[in-house]
């Protein structure tokens, strides 16, 4: 006798019937964000079958981190393996693609040149004065933290940032809120800020402006490119073709 999940795998349209007639059919989902390390780890062990066996029935792919052909190829490998495991194990797994949107991040190029060599993080201290700049790849200029020439480059997919809506005292939140900044001035494409607490800032961390609508649209150029790659008729990944 087939398990409830196996019944759904054979006949997805019968889901409503299963939910109504089978009290033991799971009515919740366990979602897991999956990256290459889950199916191409250093030790060569594929973790996906174990994750499915433990109850994972929804996979989230963070498209924000899929930026080139090599990373897209990794997604294709993941989808192919999921398809095989669903067939072999009789377990349905839903795949979701999370678009990046107008995400603002600390740029990849992030250097602290106050000491010899480049550190992998920036040691922000309370009361430091920093400038956030839209000059891509700028990094941090030579100097001591707290000086006005300390700059951090922002990486954004938004087509336009309305920095003029920011004013003195507005908040800037970085690294999921772990470090807070206060806006002191806005000059062209630069935002002058004062750091509110100590924190070691690393590249690619998110930057938010709570209470300020500085982005121009919910979808970016990258989002449209990703949607075309995923769902374009006869060539999108979702249609089973590369």
């Amino acid at each position: 006798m087939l398990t409830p999940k196996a019944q759904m795998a054979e006949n997805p349209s019968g889901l409503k019937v299963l939910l109504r007639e089978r009290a033991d059919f799971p009515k919740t989902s366990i979602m897991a964000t999956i990256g290459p390390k889950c199916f191409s780890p250093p030790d060569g062990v594929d973790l996906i079958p174990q994750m499915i066996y433990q109850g994972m029935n929804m996979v989230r792919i963070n498209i924000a981190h899929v930026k080139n052909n090599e990373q897209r190829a990794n997604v294709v490998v993941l989808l192919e393996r999921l398809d095989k495991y669903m067939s072999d194990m009789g377990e349905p797994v839903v795949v979701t693609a999370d678009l990046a949107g107008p995400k603002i991040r600390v740029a990849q190029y992030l250097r602290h040149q106050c000491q010899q060599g480049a550190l992998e993080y920036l040691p922000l201290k309370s009361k430091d004065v920093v400038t956030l700049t839209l000059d891509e790849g700028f990094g941090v200029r030579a100097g001591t933290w707290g000086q006005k020439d300390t700059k951090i480059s922002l990486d954004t997919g938004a087509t336009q940032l309305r920095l003029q809506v920011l004013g003195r005292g507005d908040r800037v939140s970085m690294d999921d809120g772990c470090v807070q900044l206060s806006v002191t001035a806005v000059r062209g494409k630069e935002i002058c800020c004062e750091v509110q607490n100590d924190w070691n800032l690393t590249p690619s961390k998110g930057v938010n402006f709570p209470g300020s609508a500085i982005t121009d649209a919910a979808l970016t150029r990258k989002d449209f490119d990703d949607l075309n790659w995923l769902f374009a008729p006869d060539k999108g990944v979702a249609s089973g073709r590369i």
Side-chain angles (χ1 to χ4, degrees):
M1 180 177 179
L2 294 175
T3 64
K5 286 186 177 181
Q7 291 181 43
M8 181 183 168
E10 285 198 347
N11 181 23
S13 63
L15 174 59
K16 291 183 179 180
V17 176
L18 288 172
L19 291 174
R20 184 173 62 251
E21 297 180 354
R22 298 292 299 271
D24 60 336
F25 189 81
K27 299 179 177 61
T28 58
S29 295
I30 298 178
M31 177 186 287
T33 300
I34 287 187
K37 290 185 179 180
C38 293
F39 56 93
S40 299
D43 56 9
V45 177
D46 192 339
L47 302 178
I48 294 178
Q50 299 179 39
M51 298 170 75
I52 297 176
Y53 179 78
Q54 293 296 328
M56 179 190 72
N57 51 18
M58 183 175 292
V59 167
R60 170 182 173 263
I61 301 173
N62 190 353
I63 301 297
H65 297 297
V66 181
K67 300 180 179 180
N68 53 49
N69 290 335
E70 179 180 355
Q71 293 166 342
R72 285 186 171 185
N74 286 334
V75 173
V76 172
V77 171
L78 169 61
L79 296 176
E80 290 174 343
R81 292 193 184 183
L82 282 172
D83 186 62
K84 178 181 184 300
Y85 295 142
M86 282 191 286
S87 177
D88 293 345
M89 303 172 68
E91 300 284 356
V93 178
V94 175
V95 179
T96 66
D98 189 353
L99 297 177
K103 179 75 173 183
I104 305 172
R105 295 181 183 273
V106 176
Q108 286 283 349
Y109 176 65
L110 192 63
R111 299 171 67 88
H112 180 210
Q113 298 176 337
C114 305
Q115 301 175 8
Q116 291 183 352
L119 303 180
E120 295 182 354
Y121 63 89
L122 297 178
L124 297 175
K125 300 295 182 182
S126 178
K127 303 302 181 181
D128 277 355
V129 176
V130 300
T131 299
L132 307 180
T133 176
L134 299 184
D135 184 2
E136 295 182 3
F138 186 90
V140 177
R141 297 174 64 178
T144 302
W145 281 105
Q147 291 184 349
K148 294 182 179 180
D149 64 352
T150 299
K151 295 189 178 183
I152 301 174
S153 178
L154 299 181
D155 179 15
T156 174
T159 56
Q160 181 181 1
L161 292 181
R162 297 188 293 267
L163 300 186
Q164 66 274 14
V165 304
L166 295 173
R168 186 179 182 85
D170 284 344
R171 291 190 300 135
V172 181
S173 177
M174 307 175 78
D175 197 356
D176 295 329
C178 290
V179 60
Q180 301 288 324
L181 287 70
S182 178
V183 175
T184 58
V186 177
R187 302 187 182 95
K189 294 184 177 182
E190 296 186 342
I191 310 168
C192 301
C193 304
E194 182 181 275
V195 180
Q196 302 298 297
N197 61 285
D198 298 353
W199 188 251
N200 292 331
L201 183 66
T202 55
S204 299
K205 297 300 183 181
V207 181
N208 290 290
F209 298 82
S212 303
I214 69 169
T215 56
D216 61 335
L219 293 175
T220 67
R221 291 186 295 268
K222 181 181 186 307
D223 294 331
F224 285 110
D225 289 341
D226 290 334
L227 286 170
N228 185 62
W229 172 65
L230 287 167
F231 300 110
D234 299 326
K235 66 177 182 178
V237 172
S239 66
R241 304 185 183 185
I242 305 302

